[in-house]
């Protein structure tokens, strides 16, 4: 058994570990850039250090996916505008000097993204600080140092295996779209548990909320839970105990990771590391509704996905309020087009519904009765059941697209402000399995629709053939 | 306004107050019986008194509905068998001597029911006791005395009006079928509030639980609520503080009475006292299921209705468990045939359903996944939502009659033991509005079906024309 697991892991490691050649190719480019940047910047006022960060710096990168972050570390006395403009100016100049391409990106403040010799890299400004961080990325050099100091060569490969496993299961990444495990969190988990196998054995027994101490900390566990009440996974950052390094991880993704661990421990297989393209069941009795629209502006992904997830939830709740049962929902986007999918129990509401009124002793009881007695849509009642009044009513709209359109027109749907014009005015509502499938084929997202219909995450599909 | 109310009440009083002629006719029969019974019984060992009880004795009876209860009160030293046999023997003899008919009835112990000159009467044995009552009817002579001593002539008419109002609304009677207000409770309420109008003005402001003290009592209200935790209406019996005179009143019927009071106070009308035969709405979109069977044995009504209400609830819960939404249900019986009616949201379940599994951290999580991965009725998933596993399944049965029959065969329906053979083996299940209407017409309970479909109690129908 152990031997089989070793075999699996060695196969995967071959897939994900960069070759020496690749490593050298990236290193050459990085060294050139850093040396050019140093020339550009060291005589500049306030520049204290130029450092290499990211998974490449830590030796935990995956073949073909080197994350090269070059940080320009400033004296905290320099103002934020200056550190940005200086970094952008010399970053662009350096990359262009090497024949690369650049574009500006924004996180908390702007930075330069570039491609040189097919290698993607970021040049990012930050302040050189030991604590009292001024920007979100000031901790990064300390994270890099901590990982380098605390991780053996063998553990770096274990991080690579963990990242591959998480990627295949859509659990990798702290961005809002995913809500999963950042690279730094995967590194901390391997520092704690040494190997992927040991981590999974432990994770299989986790029950949220989960607290993991990388090194002994002063705060006790009860205080920690109170400090991060909405975090199902709490990993105090070793370089800043007041921060939860795993704050991006949602209950959904932590739960999926625990389940993945349980399944893997009982059924180790190479399939957990690969996206399994299985033949999807195509049972046409599924009641699917799609909402499709195209964006006319570009939004940073975390902004777009925040708005998308919020709006998805808002539409689902509006459908539930109208009487539909919403079983599942998900969204796809290439950041230009958006497709939201909902699976409902039924696409049409029953013609009649019971309207629950007030308790008989409320001020509003008689008003409720008078109103419904004279309403032509009253079919039976009002009557009393227990201590409450009810009445049977006829619906005016029953079809899901009509109901949703009316709710959107009445602005009773909680959609994000940034997507409101698209969803309420421009969106195409596609109703029914056949129409959604056809629309997906015509517009190039059949795979997403099939995955949605299959409704089975990769790590569950991985054990499917055994059953 | 007050004048209009007086007019209404005087019209109703004419309908419900017995004429002097009727009163005399009943009194003549009663006097004859008591004098004959006295001759029969006074020399018998242990007979201490023969008394007149019931609404006729208290002067609160309604025209044509004299309740004549003649109580044979025994010394408590006589055993129960003897007081029954002695009462039955001489009761039957007396009534037959007067040319009447008799039959034996059973409550806690047997008594004689007879008809003499079209007047229905009961001859009932009890013990003459001041407290430490030995049978359920030993308090009755004290109730009669209390009402006679504490009620004016005018109040007797107010009781008659209250009874008429409650009868028209199906709130009158302590039997299980009704779960409403006994004659004694109506009398206590009028003793407390003097007039119907004043009672209704107070009742319109009640909020359950309601505690009413007829005379000052020693126990405080909090203790009373604890003593009768399941009673929404608590009226400590003036002749026995440890008893709740209103224990039969259900939350349903108390709520209906409060609502009736509110409606009457705002819209006084003669219609509240009459059963309004309105034109019923016949909207064929109603989803009705009937369960019909015939009894082969005779059961005391309280036994039958206890079993019926329990079984109604059991079937409704079984349908809900199967996935149906049960909006309303009711039963009709002439004590030979039984019809149960259910109104559902739909008569057919959706082909698919979401099955909720365990939380991911439970022991059972993997077993759930393995089981559903290999089940051919799995349509999608399993997937994780939040911290729980779900799976989308296909149903084998969807039609309500099939589903109900299967549940009954599997004995997963909580029906009363006494009705089990009828419901599970013999009952006819009638599905759909048209079939139920036709069945009702053929079998003579169309009125019950129409009332059920209308779903509007009389006291709400009474204010309907105003709207």
């Amino acid at each position: 058994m152990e031997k089989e697991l070793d075999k699996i892991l060695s196969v995967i490691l071959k897939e994900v570990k960069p070759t020496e050649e690749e490593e050298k190719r990236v290193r050459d480019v990085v060294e050139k850039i850093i040396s050019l940047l140093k020339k550009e910047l060291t005589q500049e006022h306030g520049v204290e250090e130029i450092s290499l960060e990211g998974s490449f710096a830590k030796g935990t990168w995956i073949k073909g996916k080197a994350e090269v972050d070059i940080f320009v570390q400033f004296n905290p006395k320099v103002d934020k505008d200056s550190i940005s403009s200086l970094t952008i100016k010399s970053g662009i100049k350096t990359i262009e000097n090497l024949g690369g391409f650049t574009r500006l990106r924004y996180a908390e403040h702007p930075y330069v993204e570039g491609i040189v010799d097919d290698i993607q890299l970021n040049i990012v400004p930050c302040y050189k600080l030991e604590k009292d961080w001024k920007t979100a990325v000031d901790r990064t050099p300390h994270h890099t140092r901590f990982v380098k100091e605390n991780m053996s060569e063998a553990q770096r490969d274990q991080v690579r295996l963990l990242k591959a496993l998480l990627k295949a299961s859509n659990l990798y990444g702290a961005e809002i779209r995913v809500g999963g495990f950042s690279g730094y969190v995967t590194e901390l988990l391997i520092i704690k548990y040494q190997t992927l196998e040991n981590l999974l054995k432990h994770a299989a027994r986790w029950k949220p909320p989960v607290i993991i101490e990388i090194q002994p900390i002063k705060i006790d566990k009860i205080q920690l839970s109170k400090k991060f009440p909405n975090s199902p996974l709490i990993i105090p950052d070793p370089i800043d105990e007041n921060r939860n390094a795993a704050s991006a991880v949602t209950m959904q993704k932590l739960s999926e990771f625990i389940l993945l661990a349980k399944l893997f421990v009982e059924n180790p297989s190479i399939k957990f590391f690969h996206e399994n393209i299985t033949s999807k069941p195509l049972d046409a009795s599924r009641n699917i509704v799609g909402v499709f629209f195209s964006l006319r502006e570009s939004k940073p992904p975390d902004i777009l996905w925040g708005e998308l997830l919020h709006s998805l939830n808002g539409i689902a709740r509006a459908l539930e309020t109208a009487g539909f049962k919403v079983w599942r929902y998900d969204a796809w986007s290439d950041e230009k087009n958006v497709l939201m999918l909902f699976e409902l129990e039924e696409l049409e509401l029953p013609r009649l519904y019971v309207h629950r009124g007030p308790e008989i002793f409320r001020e509003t009881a008689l008003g409720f009765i008078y109103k419904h007695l004279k309403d032509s849509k009253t079919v039976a009642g009002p009557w009393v059941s227990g201590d409450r009044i009810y009445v049977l009513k006829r619906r005016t709209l029953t079809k899901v697209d009509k109901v949703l359109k009316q709710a959107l027109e009445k602005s009773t749907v909680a959609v994000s402000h940034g997507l409101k014009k698209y969803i309420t005015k421009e969106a195409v509502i596609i109703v029914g399995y056949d129409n959604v499938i056809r629309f997906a084929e015509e517009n190039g997202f059949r795979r997403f629709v099939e995955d949605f219909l299959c409704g089975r995450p990769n790590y569950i599909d991985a054990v499917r053939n055994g059953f």
Side-chain angles (χ1 to χ4, degrees), chain A:
Chain A
M1 196 61 181
E2 289 301 299
K3 267 197 177 159
E4 204 198 307
L5 178 63
D6 289 345
K7 225 159 52 187
I8 292 165
L9 297 183
S10 80
V11 168
I12 299 302
L13 193 59
K14 261 183 216 134
E15 294 174 8
V16 296
K17 189 171 180 164
T19 57
E20 278 180 32
E21 232 169 42
E22 189 182 356
E23 153 98 38
K24 191 179 171 307
R25 206 170 62 83
V26 178
R27 185 161 304 284
D28 286 350
V29 170
V30 167
E31 278 170 3
K32 268 187 225 158
I33 292 172
I34 290 181
S35 106
L36 280 173
L37 267 181
K38 276 187 178 160
K39 268 187 212 153
E40 278 287 322
L41 285 168
T42 35
Q43 53 275 66
E44 287 288 344
H45 172 71
V47 175
E48 306 218 328
E49 192 176 342
I50 292 172
S51 61
L52 177 61
E53 317 289 341
S55 64
F56 180 75
K58 294 179 276 188
T60 57
W61 58 298
I62 283 186
K63 194 188 275 186
K65 312 237 171 172
E67 290 156 322
V68 177
D69 297 325
I70 295 159
F71 270 48
V72 183
Q73 300 186 36
F74 286 84
N75 186 294
K77 285 178 189 146
V78 185
D79 65 272
K80 286 195 187 182
D81 285 348
S82 305
I83 73 170
S84 291
S85 57
L86 208 54
T87 307
I88 289 165
K89 200 185 68 180
S90 35
I92 292 174
K93 190 175 163 191
T94 304
I95 290 168
E96 288 180 350
N97 276 348
L98 290 170
F101 306 95
T102 61
R103 70 165 170 166
L104 263 190
R105 300 298 298 256
Y106 297 83
E108 193 189 317
H109 52 217
Y111 63 95
V112 180
E113 187 184 274
I115 295 175
V116 177
D117 285 349
D118 278 346
I119 294 155
Q120 198 191 294
L121 48 88
N122 301 309
I123 301 175
V124 183
C126 79
Y127 288 109
K128 182 163 185 157
L129 285 166
E130 293 304 312
K131 52 176 185 170
D132 302 328
W133 332 95
K134 293 180 74 172
T135 83
V137 294
D138 296 347
R139 287 186 198 84
T140 302
H142 301 275
H143 290 163
T144 307
R145 184 180 33 76
F146 181 83
V147 171
K148 282 160 102 174
E149 286 175 5
N150 288 281
M151 188 176 277
S152 68
E153 191 60 36
Q155 284 180 324
R156 284 167 224 260
D157 286 345
Q158 296 294 316
V159 171
R160 290 183 167 111
L161 293 170
L162 174 56
K163 285 181 176 176
L165 182 64
L166 294 172
K167 264 180 209 277
S169 302
N170 194 25
L171 302 176
Y172 184 63
E175 60 267 36
I176 285 175
R177 181 180 65 81
V178 180
F181 299 74
S182 67
Y184 183 49
V185 166
T186 62
E187 289 150 359
L188 292 178
L189 287 173
I190 291 299
I191 288 171
K192 173 78 182 182
Y193 295 104
Q194 296 95 43
T195 65
L196 174 62
E197 188 189 353
N198 190 40
L199 164 63
L200 294 178
K201 277 184 179 161
H202 278 84
R205 293 191 297 268
W206 287 350
K207 182 183 163 181
V210 176
I211 299 176
I212 293 167
E213 290 178 38
I214 302 304
Q215 53 192 22
I217 56 166
K218 281 165 244 148
I219 314 168
D220 77 16
K221 297 209 167 186
I222 293 162
Q223 278 179 290
L224 266 178
S225 296
K226 282 189 189 150
K227 204 172 157 66
F228 305 109
N230 299 317
S231 290
L233 178 61
I234 300 171
I235 307 180
D237 188 341
I239 68 121
D240 181 1
E241 281 181 10
N242 288 310
R243 178 180 174 260
N244 175 14
S247 64
V249 178
T250 60
M251 175 62 89
Q252 171 74 27
K253 295 295 163 133
L254 175 63
S255 298
E256 294 199 66
F257 180 62
I258 295 171
L259 189 59
L260 157 68
K262 283 175 191 265
L263 286 164
F264 187 87
V265 168
E266 270 202 10
N267 316 273
S269 150
I270 220 156
K271 291 184 191 164
F272 283 89
F273 294 91
H274 296 152
E275 283 186 44
N276 306 300
I277 301 174
T278 60
S279 63
K280 309 296 181 187
L282 291 174
D283 183 328
S285 61
R286 311 284 291 272
N287 292 316
I288 310 290
V289 178
V291 175
F292 177 84
F293 55 90
S294 300
L295 300 166
R296 279 187 305 280
E297 77 261 43
S298 172
K299 295 166 185 270
D302 266 4
I303 301 290
L304 173 62
W305 279 97
E307 292 176 348
L308 263 181
L309 298 180
H310 178 77
S311 303
L312 255 184
N313 193 265
I315 294 174
R317 273 185 298 132
L319 289 170
E320 292 267 0
T321 303
F324 290 98
K325 211 172 257 172
V326 180
W327 283 339
R328 308 159 58 227
Y329 50 85
D330 202 357
W332 168 92
S333 178
D334 56 6
E335 288 161 39
K336 289 191 197 83
N337 298 304
V338 171
L339 177 67
M340 296 170 162
L341 286 186
F342 302 86
E343 178 159 22
L344 312 187
E345 185 172 74
E346 299 279 14
L347 295 175
E348 201 167 339
L349 294 169
R351 266 194 67 212
L352 306 183
Y353 67 101
V354 169
H355 181 44
R356 194 176 92 140
E359 292 149 304
I360 52 91
F361 52 80
R362 300 278 174 208
E363 285 278 339
T364 50
L366 295 195
F368 180 89
I369 289 173
Y370 301 156
K371 179 186 156 193
H372 289 286
L373 276 179
K374 70 180 165 199
D375 183 359
S376 65
K377 290 199 275 294
T378 295
V379 175
W383 69 85
V384 175
S385 178
D387 64 353
R388 202 176 268 280
I389 311 171
Y390 298 81
V391 64
L392 186 64
K393 309 288 292 181
R394 190 182 299 111
R395 286 194 168 92
T396 31
L397 298 180
T398 57
K399 293 195 167 121
V400 63
D401 49 338
K402 299 269 162 56
V403 172
L404 182 54
K405 269 176 195 152
Q406 192 191 54
L408 288 168
E409 276 160 20
K410 282 188 183 164
S411 286
T412 56
V413 187
V415 294
S416 288
H417 184 73
L419 297 179
K420 194 161 190 171
K421 62 175 182 291
Y422 299 115
I423 295 173
T424 61
K425 297 225 169 69
E426 303 175 13
V428 183
I429 298 175
I430 312 130
V431 177
Y433 176 86
D434 292 337
N435 293 329
V436 169
I437 288 278
R438 187 164 46 238
F439 190 87
E441 259 165 13
E442 287 164 6
N443 291 275
F445 31 70
R446 175 151 185 147
R447 179 67 203 272
F448 165 70
V449 173
E450 280 190 356
D451 282 349
F452 180 80
L453 289 170
C454 173
R456 190 155 48 234
N458 199 58
Y459 54 89
I460 291 182
D461 229 38
V463 303
R464 187 164 157 252
N465 285 355
F467 297 96

